Amino acid sequence: MIDTPAFLDAHRPDVPDLVIPQGVTPFYLAGRPVRGRLVRLGALADALLSRHDNPGIVLRLAGEALALVGGLASALKFQGSFSLQAKGDGPVSLLVADCTHAGALRFHAHSDDDAIGALAAGDPDADAGRLLGSGYLAFTVDQGPDTDLHQGIVAITGASLSEMATHYFETSEQHACWVRLACAHTDAGWRASALILERIATEGGIAAATPPEGDEDEMWSTAVTLAATVTDAELLDDDLSSEALLYRLFHAEDVCADRPRALAFGCRCSRARLSGILETFGREDLDHMAEDGTISMHCAFCNISFRFGREEVGGP
């Protein structure tokens, strides 16, 4: 098996070396039981989505999923990957998006193009509920082969991916959460964003020196009401900074932005890694895989095909 680190592999696919330094802006409302993350993928959304040949209605859903996992992963302390998986009986049978602890994003969607075309013809803005159908939504933290998976699974409930995520937190995590997702193809290309609020105790260093008087339920309700005024145009506007948008929404609630987190193009495939996988197969299996002396492997995440001469891999 070849153990060449990805960054030393001279045969990595031609994928964008793109990092968005302020991809996630964490924030909190001082003295209120509210913290959140504002996710702006910017040009990274176009780099990720435009590599795939899924219909636009599917890419819009995938962009929302990427923004969501980018925001949720940034709130966790872990080493590995955080993933969303939606599996249903609708035109989009599988949607996977994941983000590493370092902010590397990738996705894969499997859809029935004929069913998507028929749906889009009658409803070009079909929501996630119609795209996914009945099934389940899972969030998973994977920290490697020597650790147990932490996974929560719920039935797909809601019309939008935002509603599905909110339902997950209410039922699986028993945690009050508000989510707004946006993705669209703009004049600048694909853009995707997320605004996520979480209700927390007014402790642990976020309380103001003189907390405002009021009921915590009312404080949470006020924050959600203000967040709900945000528009897709604001979330996807490259010329509107995250700090300016947060101030626009929450300036009356003493909003405080924290240090931003970077997001990046994050497919982790490489010729070396795939070669190592092939080396685990027996010779007969490799012979069966080969067509005209060539073995082909396709990465569904970055949409790149790799070709190996049969003589390049021997098998045990």
Side-chain angles (χ1 to χ4, degrees):
M1 179 174 180
I2 300 174
D3 295 320
T4 306
F7 67 91
L8 292 178
D9 183 8
H11 300 289
R12 283 182 59 75
D14 182 19
V15 296
D17 183 15
L18 180 61
V19 177
I20 305 299
Q22 294 186 315
V24 182
T25 302
F27 65 92
Y28 63 90
L29 308 185
R32 279 81 166 171
V34 182
R35 70 178 180 184
R37 271 92 59 209
L38 175 58
V39 183
R40 318 285 291 286
L41 297 188
L44 179 58
D46 194 65
L48 286 159
L49 297 175
S50 63
R51 295 189 69 84
H52 295 260
D53 55 5
N54 300 97
I57 195 172
V58 178
L59 293 179
R60 186 184 67 198
L61 177 61
E64 292 182 355
L66 287 166
L68 177 61
V69 297
L72 296 180
S74 68
L76 302 175
K77 293 182 179 180
F78 72 105
Q79 295 284 320
S81 66
F82 174 83
S83 66
L84 171 157
Q85 182 183 85
K87 190 171 185 179
D89 60 5
V92 179
S93 58
L94 178 66
L95 172 64
V96 179
D98 73 37
C99 183
T100 69
H101 63 276
L105 286 165
R106 63 180 187 173
F107 88 94
H108 165 60
H110 185 271
S111 60
D112 182 330
D113 289 350
D114 290 338
I116 289 292
L119 176 61
D123 184 5
D125 296 318
D127 57 34
R130 297 194 66 189
L131 289 171
L132 295 170
S134 299
Y136 69 81
L137 180 70
F139 289 100
T140 305
V141 177
D142 184 353
Q143 299 193 81
D146 298 326
T147 61
D148 294 331
L149 291 177
H150 176 73
Q151 185 175 70
I153 303 176
V154 296
I156 291 175
T157 301
S160 67
L161 187 58
S162 298
E163 293 175 1
M164 295 173 192
T166 300
H167 172 71
Y168 168 83
F169 282 101
E170 289 176 345
T171 58
S172 182
E173 303 291 334
Q174 297 182 339
H175 181 56
C177 186
W178 182 92
V179 179
R180 173 68 176 272
L181 304 172
C183 180
H185 192 274
T186 71
D187 291 341
W190 284 101
R191 293 294 184 268
S193 179
L195 178 60
I196 303 170
L197 300 184
E198 294 181 80
R199 179 169 177 172
I200 58 174
T202 50
E203 297 175 356
I206 71 161
T210 306
E213 295 182 1
D215 181 80
E216 289 193 3
D217 289 340
E218 183 178 344
M219 294 177 187
W220 170 251
S221 179
T222 297
V224 168
T225 299
L226 292 173
T229 65
V230 73
T231 66
D232 286 2
E234 289 175 312
L235 287 170
L236 304 177
D237 186 354
D238 289 343
D239 295 324
L240 178 63
S241 71
S242 295
E243 291 78 7
L245 178 53
L246 289 174
Y247 182 80
R248 180 182 293 182
L249 293 171
F250 303 114
H251 64 275
E253 299 298 299
D254 198 9
V255 61
C256 302
D258 207 340
R259 185 173 63 181
R261 299 280 299 274
L263 294 174
F265 191 101
C267 191
R268 301 184 289 281
C269 74
S270 72
R271 188 175 180 83
R273 176 172 293 184
L274 295 179
S275 177
I277 293 173
L278 289 174
E279 292 286 356
T280 65
F281 288 90
R283 293 182 180 276
E284 290 187 5
D285 291 329
L286 292 171
D287 290 340
H288 182 72
M289 294 179 196
E291 294 185 7
D292 297 326
T294 300
I295 298 174
S296 297
M297 298 184 73
H298 183 78
C299 176
F301 287 98
C302 67
N303 200 26
I304 290 288
S305 291
F306 296 81
R307 296 180 179 274
F308 301 86
R310 176 62 187 88
E311 70 281 357
E312 293 183 62
V313 287

